Short mmCIF file of all heavy atoms in Angstrom, two decimals:
data_model
loop_
_atom_site.label_atom_id
_atom_site.label_comp_id
_atom_site.label_asym_id
_atom_site.label_seq_id
_atom_site.Cartn_x
_atom_site.Cartn_y
_atom_site.Cartn_z
N ARG A 163 23.03 17.66 -17.69
CA ARG A 163 21.66 17.58 -18.19
C ARG A 163 20.83 18.62 -17.48
O ARG A 163 21.11 18.98 -16.34
CB ARG A 163 21.05 16.19 -18.03
CG ARG A 163 20.69 15.82 -16.58
CD ARG A 163 21.91 15.38 -15.79
NE ARG A 163 21.59 14.76 -14.52
CZ ARG A 163 21.64 15.38 -13.34
NH1 ARG A 163 21.91 16.66 -13.29
NH2 ARG A 163 21.39 14.73 -12.23
N PRO A 164 19.81 19.15 -18.14
CA PRO A 164 18.98 20.18 -17.50
C PRO A 164 18.02 19.57 -16.50
O PRO A 164 17.48 18.48 -16.73
CB PRO A 164 18.23 20.80 -18.69
CG PRO A 164 18.11 19.66 -19.66
CD PRO A 164 19.37 18.86 -19.52
N TRP A 165 17.79 20.27 -15.42
CA TRP A 165 16.77 19.86 -14.46
C TRP A 165 15.39 20.34 -14.89
O TRP A 165 14.40 19.93 -14.31
CB TRP A 165 17.09 20.44 -13.08
CG TRP A 165 18.22 19.80 -12.35
CD1 TRP A 165 18.14 18.84 -11.37
CD2 TRP A 165 19.61 20.09 -12.48
NE1 TRP A 165 19.39 18.51 -10.91
CE2 TRP A 165 20.33 19.27 -11.58
CE3 TRP A 165 20.34 20.97 -13.30
CZ2 TRP A 165 21.71 19.30 -11.46
CZ3 TRP A 165 21.73 21.00 -13.18
CH2 TRP A 165 22.39 20.17 -12.28
N ILE A 166 15.34 21.22 -15.88
CA ILE A 166 14.08 21.83 -16.30
C ILE A 166 13.93 21.71 -17.81
O ILE A 166 14.83 22.06 -18.57
CB ILE A 166 14.03 23.33 -15.92
CG1 ILE A 166 14.29 23.52 -14.42
CG2 ILE A 166 12.69 23.95 -16.32
CD1 ILE A 166 14.47 24.98 -14.01
N LEU A 167 12.77 21.21 -18.25
CA LEU A 167 12.38 21.24 -19.65
C LEU A 167 11.27 22.26 -19.80
O LEU A 167 10.40 22.36 -18.93
CB LEU A 167 11.90 19.86 -20.12
CG LEU A 167 12.86 18.69 -19.96
CD1 LEU A 167 12.22 17.41 -20.51
CD2 LEU A 167 14.20 18.96 -20.64
N THR A 168 11.27 22.99 -20.89
CA THR A 168 10.29 24.06 -21.11
C THR A 168 9.58 23.85 -22.44
O THR A 168 10.21 23.49 -23.44
CB THR A 168 10.98 25.44 -21.09
OG1 THR A 168 11.53 25.66 -19.80
CG2 THR A 168 9.98 26.55 -21.40
N SER A 169 8.27 24.08 -22.43
CA SER A 169 7.48 24.00 -23.66
C SER A 169 6.62 25.25 -23.75
O SER A 169 5.90 25.58 -22.80
CB SER A 169 6.58 22.75 -23.64
OG SER A 169 5.71 22.75 -24.75
N ARG A 170 6.69 25.93 -24.88
CA ARG A 170 5.93 27.16 -25.07
C ARG A 170 4.59 26.87 -25.74
O ARG A 170 4.51 26.08 -26.67
CB ARG A 170 6.75 28.15 -25.90
CG ARG A 170 7.86 28.83 -25.09
CD ARG A 170 8.93 29.41 -25.96
NE ARG A 170 9.77 28.40 -26.58
CZ ARG A 170 10.75 27.76 -25.94
NH1 ARG A 170 11.00 28.03 -24.67
NH2 ARG A 170 11.47 26.85 -26.57
N TRP A 171 3.54 27.51 -25.23
CA TRP A 171 2.20 27.50 -25.80
C TRP A 171 1.45 26.17 -25.63
O TRP A 171 0.31 26.05 -26.07
CB TRP A 171 2.21 27.88 -27.27
CG TRP A 171 2.61 29.30 -27.52
CD1 TRP A 171 3.86 29.77 -27.81
CD2 TRP A 171 1.76 30.45 -27.47
NE1 TRP A 171 3.84 31.13 -27.95
CE2 TRP A 171 2.57 31.58 -27.75
CE3 TRP A 171 0.40 30.63 -27.23
CZ2 TRP A 171 2.05 32.87 -27.78
CZ3 TRP A 171 -0.11 31.93 -27.28
CH2 TRP A 171 0.71 33.02 -27.55
N GLU A 172 2.02 25.19 -24.98
CA GLU A 172 1.31 23.93 -24.76
C GLU A 172 2.01 23.12 -23.69
O GLU A 172 3.18 23.36 -23.35
CB GLU A 172 1.25 23.10 -26.04
CG GLU A 172 2.61 22.61 -26.49
CD GLU A 172 2.55 21.52 -27.54
OE1 GLU A 172 1.47 20.87 -27.68
OE2 GLU A 172 3.57 21.29 -28.21
N VAL A 173 1.29 22.13 -23.16
CA VAL A 173 1.91 21.06 -22.40
C VAL A 173 1.94 19.85 -23.32
O VAL A 173 0.88 19.34 -23.71
CB VAL A 173 1.11 20.72 -21.12
CG1 VAL A 173 1.80 19.58 -20.38
CG2 VAL A 173 0.98 21.94 -20.22
N PRO A 174 3.11 19.36 -23.72
CA PRO A 174 3.16 18.17 -24.58
C PRO A 174 2.47 16.99 -23.89
O PRO A 174 2.66 16.78 -22.69
CB PRO A 174 4.66 17.91 -24.75
CG PRO A 174 5.32 19.23 -24.47
CD PRO A 174 4.46 19.90 -23.43
N VAL A 175 1.70 16.24 -24.63
CA VAL A 175 0.93 15.14 -24.03
C VAL A 175 1.85 14.16 -23.32
O VAL A 175 1.50 13.63 -22.25
CB VAL A 175 0.09 14.43 -25.11
CG1 VAL A 175 -0.57 13.17 -24.55
CG2 VAL A 175 -0.98 15.38 -25.65
N ARG A 176 3.06 13.92 -23.85
CA ARG A 176 3.98 12.97 -23.22
C ARG A 176 4.38 13.39 -21.82
O ARG A 176 4.76 12.56 -21.00
CB ARG A 176 5.22 12.77 -24.09
CG ARG A 176 6.07 14.03 -24.24
CD ARG A 176 7.25 13.80 -25.18
NE ARG A 176 8.06 15.00 -25.36
CZ ARG A 176 7.80 15.94 -26.24
NH1 ARG A 176 6.75 15.83 -27.04
NH2 ARG A 176 8.59 17.01 -26.35
N TRP A 177 4.30 14.70 -21.53
CA TRP A 177 4.68 15.18 -20.20
C TRP A 177 3.71 14.71 -19.12
O TRP A 177 4.05 14.74 -17.93
CB TRP A 177 4.75 16.70 -20.20
CG TRP A 177 6.00 17.25 -20.81
CD1 TRP A 177 6.91 16.61 -21.60
CD2 TRP A 177 6.49 18.59 -20.67
NE1 TRP A 177 7.91 17.46 -21.98
CE2 TRP A 177 7.68 18.68 -21.42
CE3 TRP A 177 6.03 19.72 -20.01
CZ2 TRP A 177 8.42 19.85 -21.51
CZ3 TRP A 177 6.75 20.90 -20.10
CH2 TRP A 177 7.95 20.96 -20.84
N PHE A 178 2.51 14.29 -19.49
CA PHE A 178 1.55 13.83 -18.48
C PHE A 178 1.81 12.38 -18.07
O PHE A 178 1.21 11.90 -17.09
CB PHE A 178 0.13 13.96 -19.02
CG PHE A 178 -0.32 15.38 -19.23
CD1 PHE A 178 -0.46 15.90 -20.51
CD2 PHE A 178 -0.58 16.21 -18.14
CE1 PHE A 178 -0.86 17.22 -20.71
CE2 PHE A 178 -0.98 17.53 -18.33
CZ PHE A 178 -1.12 18.03 -19.62
N LEU A 179 2.68 11.67 -18.78
CA LEU A 179 2.89 10.25 -18.50
C LEU A 179 3.35 9.96 -17.08
O LEU A 179 2.93 8.95 -16.50
CB LEU A 179 3.89 9.67 -19.51
CG LEU A 179 3.38 9.51 -20.95
CD1 LEU A 179 4.54 9.18 -21.88
CD2 LEU A 179 2.31 8.44 -21.02
N PRO A 180 4.21 10.77 -16.45
CA PRO A 180 4.66 10.43 -15.09
C PRO A 180 3.62 10.66 -14.00
O PRO A 180 3.88 10.32 -12.84
CB PRO A 180 5.86 11.39 -14.87
CG PRO A 180 6.25 11.87 -16.23
CD PRO A 180 4.98 11.91 -17.01
N PHE A 181 2.44 11.21 -14.34
CA PHE A 181 1.53 11.69 -13.31
C PHE A 181 0.17 11.02 -13.42
O PHE A 181 -0.24 10.54 -14.47
CB PHE A 181 1.36 13.21 -13.43
CG PHE A 181 2.66 13.96 -13.47
CD1 PHE A 181 3.21 14.37 -14.68
CD2 PHE A 181 3.35 14.23 -12.30
CE1 PHE A 181 4.42 15.04 -14.73
CE2 PHE A 181 4.56 14.90 -12.33
CZ PHE A 181 5.10 15.31 -13.55
N GLY A 182 -0.53 11.02 -12.28
CA GLY A 182 -1.92 10.59 -12.23
C GLY A 182 -2.79 11.74 -11.77
O GLY A 182 -2.29 12.77 -11.29
N ASP A 183 -4.10 11.57 -11.88
CA ASP A 183 -5.00 12.64 -11.49
C ASP A 183 -4.86 12.98 -10.01
O ASP A 183 -5.07 14.12 -9.60
CB ASP A 183 -6.44 12.24 -11.81
CG ASP A 183 -7.40 13.43 -11.77
OD1 ASP A 183 -7.15 14.40 -12.51
OD2 ASP A 183 -8.35 13.39 -10.97
N GLU A 184 -4.47 11.99 -9.20
CA GLU A 184 -4.32 12.24 -7.76
C GLU A 184 -3.12 13.12 -7.44
O GLU A 184 -3.01 13.65 -6.31
CB GLU A 184 -4.19 10.91 -6.99
CG GLU A 184 -2.92 10.13 -7.26
CD GLU A 184 -3.01 9.21 -8.47
OE1 GLU A 184 -3.92 9.42 -9.31
OE2 GLU A 184 -2.18 8.28 -8.57
N ASP A 185 -2.22 13.32 -8.39
CA ASP A 185 -1.05 14.19 -8.19
C ASP A 185 -1.34 15.64 -8.55
O ASP A 185 -0.48 16.50 -8.38
CB ASP A 185 0.13 13.69 -9.04
CG ASP A 185 0.44 12.23 -8.81
OD1 ASP A 185 0.49 11.84 -7.64
OD2 ASP A 185 0.62 11.49 -9.79
N ARG A 186 -2.54 15.89 -9.05
CA ARG A 186 -2.91 17.21 -9.53
C ARG A 186 -3.15 18.16 -8.35
O ARG A 186 -3.79 17.80 -7.37
CB ARG A 186 -4.19 17.10 -10.37
CG ARG A 186 -4.74 18.38 -10.93
CD ARG A 186 -6.02 18.06 -11.70
NE ARG A 186 -6.60 19.25 -12.31
CZ ARG A 186 -7.41 20.08 -11.68
NH1 ARG A 186 -7.75 19.86 -10.42
NH2 ARG A 186 -7.89 21.15 -12.31
N CYS A 187 -2.63 19.38 -8.47
CA CYS A 187 -2.84 20.40 -7.43
C CYS A 187 -3.28 21.70 -8.10
O CYS A 187 -2.49 22.33 -8.82
CB CYS A 187 -1.56 20.63 -6.63
SG CYS A 187 -1.80 21.73 -5.21
N PHE A 188 -4.52 22.07 -7.90
CA PHE A 188 -5.07 23.30 -8.45
C PHE A 188 -5.21 24.31 -7.32
O PHE A 188 -5.81 24.03 -6.28
CB PHE A 188 -6.43 23.05 -9.10
CG PHE A 188 -7.11 24.31 -9.57
CD1 PHE A 188 -6.61 25.02 -10.66
CD2 PHE A 188 -8.24 24.79 -8.92
CE1 PHE A 188 -7.23 26.19 -11.08
CE2 PHE A 188 -8.87 25.95 -9.35
CZ PHE A 188 -8.36 26.65 -10.44
N VAL A 189 -4.62 25.48 -7.51
CA VAL A 189 -4.66 26.55 -6.51
C VAL A 189 -5.44 27.72 -7.12
O VAL A 189 -4.96 28.35 -8.07
CB VAL A 189 -3.25 27.00 -6.10
CG1 VAL A 189 -3.34 28.11 -5.04
CG2 VAL A 189 -2.45 25.83 -5.57
N PRO A 190 -6.64 28.00 -6.64
CA PRO A 190 -7.43 29.10 -7.22
C PRO A 190 -6.72 30.43 -7.06
O PRO A 190 -5.92 30.64 -6.14
CB PRO A 190 -8.74 29.06 -6.42
CG PRO A 190 -8.77 27.71 -5.78
CD PRO A 190 -7.35 27.32 -5.55
N GLY A 191 -7.01 31.35 -7.96
CA GLY A 191 -6.46 32.69 -7.84
C GLY A 191 -7.13 33.43 -6.69
O GLY A 191 -8.14 33.01 -6.14
N GLY A 192 -6.54 34.56 -6.33
CA GLY A 192 -7.09 35.35 -5.24
C GLY A 192 -6.41 36.69 -5.15
O GLY A 192 -5.63 37.08 -6.02
N ALA A 193 -6.71 37.42 -4.10
CA ALA A 193 -6.12 38.74 -3.89
C ALA A 193 -4.63 38.59 -3.65
O ALA A 193 -4.18 37.67 -2.97
CB ALA A 193 -6.78 39.42 -2.70
N GLY A 194 -3.84 39.48 -4.22
CA GLY A 194 -2.40 39.45 -4.04
C GLY A 194 -2.02 39.78 -2.61
O GLY A 194 -2.68 40.54 -1.91
#
Side-chain angles (χ1 to χ4, degrees):
R163 72 281 192 260
W165 286 262
I166 305 171
L167 303 181
T168 296
S169 174
R170 283 160 289 281
W171 293 95
E172 66 166 341
V173 179
V175 172
R176 64 183 179 274
W177 282 15
F178 294 108
L179 289 169
F181 309 98
D183 195 57
E184 67 274 18
D185 306 314
R186 179 181 182 275
C187 186
F188 174 69
V189 181

